[in-house]
Each structure stands twice: as C-alpha cells, then as structure tokens.
Amino acid sequence: IFNSNSNSSPNSRDYFSLQFAGITVDSISMQASLPNAVISSVSSCYRMKRITQRDLQSLIGLLNFTCSVIVPGRALLRRLIDLTKGIRSLRHFIRITRECKQDIQVWLSFLNQYNGKSFFLPDRWLTSRKLQLYTDAAGSLGYGAVFGKHWFFGSWPDKWKSFNITILELYPIVISVETWGHLMANRCVVFFTDNRALADIINKQTAKEQRVMVLIRHLVFCCMRHNILFRAKHVLGILNRECDLLSRLQVEEFRRLASRVDHQPTMVPPHHLPENWLSI
C-alpha cells in the first residue's frame, strides 16, 4: 500500500509510505516501523514454560520478521532456532531453556521501551580506526577505552580479578557502547580486540560461560537500542598502546602519549561499574 503526500509548493518534496507485511517504510526519514502486535505475541511466548514446535517456529518467524527492522536482534535468534533442530512433529512440546528465556526477555525489555521505528543502516562498515574506538583490559589491574577525544578507565574489584580474560576484555567494549552508543547510532561497527576467542564470541553472540552471556546480551541490547549492527575483528595488542596504558592504570603516561584527549575521563555511571554487576 503506497501513500503519497505532496502539495503545490515548489519547495515541497513528494514522499511515499509503503506498508508490507505490517512494516511501514517512510522514504523521507528512511525509517521502518513495526506493527504494535509484535510485543503482545512475544510477551505471550515469554510466559510459557513449554511450547509446541509449531508455535516456536511461529515465534522465530515473527522475530525474524522483526529483525528486518531491528537488524541487531538477529543475534538473539540462534538459541531459539537450535531448539527446533531434530524435532519433526509440529505438535511436539519443547521446553524453553533458561538461556532462551533470557534472550526472549531481552526482546521483551527492548520492545517495551522501543518506539517501533528504526533507521536504515548503511552498507559501509566502520572500523575502530574510523570511529577511533579502542578498548583493553589487564587481568590483575584494570580496563580502559578511548573513543576519539573521550576515554575512561578503572580498576577491577577483587571478585573480577579471578575472571577469565574473555570477560575482562568484553566488559570495556560493552561499557563503551553503553556510554558512547548514541555517537555510533544507525551504523555498522567493527570492534577490534586483541583476544581472538572474544572476537569469535562477539561474532557468534554465544558462549558457554553464563557470565560472558550476561555481557553479550547487554551488548546486543545496547546495539538494538541504538540500531548498531556490529561484528568483531582480532588485531595485535601492540597496535593498542594507549588503551594498554589505561588498563595498566598508567594514567599519566597515557596523558603524555595521547595529548589530544579530554583532560578528564568520561564518568562511567555507578550502576555500570564492575562491582555493581550483580548478575555476574
């Protein structure tokens, strides 16, 4: 269904509103909008403990449809699709695992806060070099991130010092998106990391360790909120000197090397500091 709007003014522009399968596309704002019925369907499935193969496939189809507008949400489909593997009968009841419940909960939390609109993403991927986004973590000391002129750093609480390096390297990436995501909005972004295993986890959006998944889900949620499509690439740590200094809490040396940055670091909100992540 096309809706055309115009007037006789010579400075006016014609535009078209296209509706397809419930999605409304605005050619001027370059936005796509979801129908209101999506949230009620996801909410209904979230309350279930078991679901038939037929209904699960219907849910996956609905969320896949939703991903045509909310592209970063594809990261939350993998585990739901895995539940359907090897099951032939559409009437067979499938238990919704805790991990899948958590993925659906992310969808539900997002849709409850979301206005149903999303800008189209460009084809060009922006690397950390273009964005000037760099992060790093040192296992026994701390973490740091630089985004253009902005930066933050911090030390690990005692509890976190026993975590594996994958969690520690992932944390500053998540907090960078939480803190500066509005400056990356509506873009395709590549995160650089010197941890090869972490690059694989970010690209697959799945990991066996539950504490890693807490951070991955938060990363996906932030990217959905800002309409950021992301992937990760492994790089050598020697190319990340400034953040290496921050993660080792060598702040004065960092200031000397990176004279272009803000005089004061960006303050990470207290509820996002490592010691306040109660679910990890």
Side-chain angles (χ1 to χ4, degrees):
I1 301 173
F2 286 94
N3 296 316
S4 176
N5 290 285
S6 63
N7 57 48
S8 58
S9 170
N11 294 324
S12 66
R13 294 184 297 172
D14 292 340
Y15 69 90
F16 289 95
S17 176
L18 169 64
Q19 291 186 349
F20 175 75
I23 297 176
T24 302
V25 178
D26 188 319
S27 65
I28 292 297
S29 64
M30 297 301 289
Q31 285 185 330
S33 305
L34 290 171
N36 295 328
V38 172
I39 189 170
S40 61
S41 297
V42 176
S43 179
S44 176
C45 290
Y46 177 72
R47 293 192 295 267
M48 298 178 182
K49 293 182 178 180
R50 296 193 304 160
I51 188 171
T52 64
Q53 172 81 328
R54 185 193 304 277
D55 289 340
L56 180 56
Q57 288 179 345
S58 178
L59 173 63
I60 292 170
L62 174 65
L63 292 179
N64 191 54
F65 158 81
T66 302
C67 288
S68 61
V69 176
I70 314 300
V71 179
R74 296 192 188 280
L76 299 173
L77 288 178
R78 183 183 304 274
R79 280 169 288 273
L80 290 172
I81 293 173
D82 286 346
L83 288 182
T84 68
K85 293 180 179 179
I87 298 176
R88 297 181 180 179
S89 173
L90 294 177
R91 296 187 180 91
H92 183 86
F93 276 90
I94 302 169
R95 184 179 66 84
I96 303 177
T97 65
R98 182 179 63 177
E99 291 77 15
C100 288
K101 278 274 191 181
Q102 291 168 337
D103 285 349
I104 298 172
Q105 185 177 32
V106 172
W107 269 112
L108 198 55
S109 298
F110 175 74
L111 291 171
N112 275 319
Q113 301 175 28
Y114 177 60
N115 64 8
K117 297 181 179 180
S118 179
F119 288 97
F120 299 141
L121 291 169
D123 293 331
R124 185 177 70 258
W125 284 84
L126 298 180
T127 65
S128 291
R129 184 176 300 277
K130 179 70 173 179
L131 288 171
Q132 295 183 299
L133 171 65
Y134 301 90
T135 63
D136 195 30
S140 61
L141 295 171
Y143 55 89
V146 178
F147 181 68
K149 294 183 178 181
H150 312 305
W151 55 286
F152 66 70
F153 77 102
S155 57
W156 299 121
D158 290 339
K159 175 185 175 182
W160 282 58
K161 291 178 181 179
S162 63
F163 291 172
N164 69 54
I165 193 61
T166 299
I167 297 174
L168 302 183
E169 294 273 11
L170 178 56
Y171 171 79
I173 294 177
V174 174
I175 299 306
S176 293
V177 178
E178 183 66 52
T179 304
W180 300 309
H182 63 288
L183 300 175
M184 313 175 203
N186 306 309
R187 296 180 179 181
C188 300
V189 176
V190 180
F191 299 123
F192 285 167
T193 174
D194 59 6
N195 186 311
R196 191 180 300 277
L198 177 58
D200 290 339
I201 288 172
I202 291 176
N203 289 331
K204 294 177 181 177
Q205 289 96 41
T206 187
K208 293 182 179 179
E209 186 168 347
Q210 180 60 27
R211 286 180 293 195
V212 174
M213 285 308 305
V214 170
L215 290 173
I216 285 292
R217 289 189 180 94
H218 195 88
L219 175 62
V220 172
F221 183 84
C222 289
C223 288
M224 289 169 67
R225 195 171 70 228
H226 295 295
N227 196 34
I228 300 170
L229 187 60
F230 65 91
R231 66 188 183 195
K233 184 177 181 180
H234 174 257
V235 294
L236 297 177
I238 196 173
L239 302 177
N240 200 16
R241 175 64 175 158
E242 292 178 359
C243 280
D244 180 69
L245 290 172
L246 285 178
S247 69
R248 298 179 187 280
L249 309 181
Q250 299 175 15
V251 180
E252 293 307 315
E253 179 65 14
F254 165 78
R255 291 180 188 273
R256 186 190 65 79
L257 181 65
S259 57
R260 73 187 187 285
V261 301
D262 295 336
H263 182 68
Q264 295 295 332
T266 300
M267 298 303 296
V268 175
H271 61 284
H272 286 141
L273 293 174
E275 54 268 27
N276 294 327
W277 283 70
L278 302 180
S279 55
I280 293 184

